[in-house]
Amino acid sequence: MSVRETWIVGAASNRFGRMKESAREAATRVSLEAIRSAGLEPKDIGHTFVSNAFGIAEHQAHVGPLINGGLGIPDVPSATIESACSSSSAGLHEAIVHVGGGFEDAVLVVGAEKLSHLDTLAATSYFAIAADYPFETKNGATFPGLYATLASAYEHHYPTKPEMLGSVAIKAHANGARNPHAHFQKEISMDTYLGSPMIASPLRLYDCCPFSDGAAAVVVAAKEFVKKPALEPLVVRASVRTGSVTEMQDRPDLLGLPATRNAAAKAFRQAHLEPSQIDFLEVHDCFTIAELFALEDMGFFPKGTAGAASLDGVTVRDGKLPVNPSGGLKAKGHPVSATGASQVVEVFEQVNGLAGSRAVPKTETALTHNVGATGGSCSVHIFSRR
Ligand SMILES: CC(C)(COP(=O)(O)OP(=O)(O)OC[C@H]1O[C@@H](n2cnc3c(N)ncnc32)[C@H](O)[C@@H]1OP(=O)(O)O)[C@@H](O)C(=O)NCCC(=O)NCCS
């Protein structure tokens, strides 16, 4: 773990959904909000890690220096970090390494994406290049199709009722309805879920995250640099990145994601904690089945049982283990590169009493989990109060 105690001292997000501004403009604005929320100024930032995995959709690469220019710090170094849907949590890991290792005192992490000017076919095609292009994408595979394959394998192996997946979606929408940052702020019923169109069997419309625009930023700083934080900081207890076989055809089984299993095991070791000590989670629920995978792979529930636990209400806001109080990727939305940072924004807001009616009962320790594509990469972070 890091040599210096490292904190998350500021965080900000816009409302996910459809943005008028470009990813670059939104990232700059949200970055400034995050820096100011930390009681800092842009000149305090020593490095920025910027994620914009599908910047190509706006004909813009190398966006980091442009964002730094907009912040008035053009001389500060910036690196663009791409790890598909886990891009900004990969950036967060780099920031923690920089600060913890003593290379910088304060580092900005920002992720942004804009795709709403594309139709579903074009957006799906862009996203699908994050899969195995020659074997999967070129042969027509898309992310809804790939996750449907995982869901089918799971259903074949473990008794799974559609209502189990439905309960994940209903809980996500109930939380999203209380989150001003969320793309969808509308509750849904089981009837609405079951009556929604099949997208890729067994996944229905409400099993899928939407295409969202959005931007989210966090500021990572050394405890000794901040001294008097403006808001209650998150102490970084674990920061882990893992990789795994991306090609689905080469995996030993399709009943979970090895990258998640390995990341969580390592994170719990780093933090000297176990799953029972985590108060709430933000997990990668790009499709409802992904939430069940995450909860089982990280050891919160035995394999094949997370669906029943979800249907029993264990993961709702005031349940035994609140999962995705933000609304998750399903309802808060999934602007790919902003997602990892936005999970930390949620933890920061919960810990600082800024979560309003979606507040969870206990906020001592939280975990964030963010997956790249179908599990080729994964990040797990654990935070606690001072
Ligand atoms: C599910 C999906 C195919 C729906 O796309 P679509 O059928 O073209 O839907 P549209 O954009 O035409 O929207 C139609 C309506 O459904 C709603 N909608 C779209 N996607 C939705 C979703 N995922 N959940 C709930 N509602 C959704 C829209 O808001 C719209 O509602 P309105 O008529 O009240 O305005 C698309 O959202 C999708 O592919 N999602 C997955 C994205 C993805 O793969 N991300 C990467 C994950 S690894």
Side-chain angles (χ1 to χ4, degrees):
M1 201 35 206
S2 56
V3 178
R4 297 201 292 180
E5 185 167 313
T6 302
W7 290 352
I8 306 296
V9 291
S13 170
N14 63 2
R15 180 183 176 178
F16 290 179
R18 184 174 277 267
M19 302 188 313
K20 284 204 181 98
E21 52 194 349
S22 64
R24 165 187 170 180
E25 289 164 338
T28 307
R29 191 168 52 75
V30 164
S31 294
L32 198 54
E33 280 173 37
I35 294 167
R36 295 251 163 89
S37 77
L40 300 175
E41 289 299 326
K43 64 174 174 43
D44 296 316
I45 300 295
H47 203 302
T48 65
F49 288 101
V50 174
S51 296
N52 183 213
F54 296 103
I56 189 171
E58 289 185 279
H59 311 285
Q60 183 65 68
H62 202 214
V63 72
L66 297 169
I67 293 171
N68 285 2
L71 292 171
I73 49 170
D75 297 338
V76 166
S78 184
T80 310
I81 305 282
E82 192 271 313
S83 182
C85 310
S86 67
S87 291
S88 57
S89 58
L92 175 64
H93 178 70
E94 296 304 323
I96 291 166
V97 169
H98 266 65
V99 172
F103 293 97
E104 300 295 346
D105 289 325
V107 174
L108 170 76
V109 178
V110 59
E113 218 71 71
K114 175 162 173 146
L115 288 136
S116 61
H117 54 295
L118 306 177
D119 61 19
T120 299
L121 179 62
T124 302
S125 308
Y126 272 114
F127 277 27
I129 60 174
D132 173 9
Y133 186 78
F135 197 86
E136 294 171 340
T137 316
K138 211 170 152 198
N139 289 302
T142 61
F143 280 111
L146 291 167
Y147 272 92
T149 305
L150 295 170
S152 300
Y154 185 89
E155 285 192 353
H156 187 70
H157 208 80
Y158 303 113
T160 310
K161 294 194 275 187
E163 288 82 357
M164 292 176 178
L165 295 179
S167 67
V168 174
I170 290 165
K171 182 256 301 165
H173 277 264
N175 293 344
R178 290 162 178 77
N179 185 355
H181 302 306
H183 184 157
F184 294 128
Q185 299 184 16
K186 194 179 73 171
E187 302 213 12
I188 60 163
S189 66
M190 188 61 84
D191 284 346
T192 309
Y193 168 79
L194 292 171
S196 69
M198 198 58 88
I199 299 295
S201 178
L203 302 178
R204 296 168 162 80
L205 176 69
Y206 283 103
D207 289 302
C208 306
C209 65
F211 290 107
S212 316
D213 301 337
V218 300
V219 178
V220 179
K223 171 187 174 180
E224 63 205 49
F225 174 72
V226 179
K227 296 195 178 73
K228 278 194 187 155
L231 291 165
E232 188 57 36
L234 308 179
V235 178
V236 178
R237 300 284 302 273
S239 175
V240 175
R241 292 271 302 148
T242 50
S244 178
V245 177
T246 291
E247 302 87 332
M248 298 221 323
Q249 71 276 10
D250 291 338
R251 298 185 193 181
D253 72 66
L254 297 179
L255 302 173
L257 303 184
T260 296
R261 281 177 214 142
N262 295 336
K266 198 171 167 190
F268 285 123
R269 279 199 305 276
Q270 251 182 32
H272 304 292
L273 291 170
E274 48 190 61
S276 62
Q277 293 171 285
I278 301 293
D279 294 328
F280 70 100
L281 313 169
E282 282 286 312
V283 306
H284 194 89
D285 61 333
C286 52
F287 299 90
T288 51
I289 185 67
E291 178 164 318
L292 304 189
F293 275 22
L295 295 176
E296 295 175 1
D297 287 338
M298 291 196 285
F300 290 95
F301 299 101
K303 226 39 219 167
T305 66
S310 178
L311 194 53
D312 282 351
V314 175
T315 58
V316 298
R317 257 184 343 272
D318 53 356
K320 198 165 162 232
L321 181 67
V323 176
N324 289 343
S326 69
L329 284 62
K330 171 69 210 70
K332 183 184 58 184
H334 183 28
V336 182
S337 290
T339 291
S342 80
Q343 294 177 322
V344 183
V345 172
E346 176 65 15
V347 175
F348 195 75
E349 292 191 348
Q350 290 281 353
V351 164
N352 277 288
L354 302 171
S357 63
R358 68 180 196 287
V360 298
K362 274 186 75 191
T363 58
E364 285 303 314
T365 304
L367 179 150
T368 59
H369 159 262
N370 191 199
V371 171
T374 50
S377 55
C378 180
S379 302
V380 170
H381 287 88
I382 299 178
F383 306 101
S384 60
R385 282 175 179 274
R386 281 183 289 178

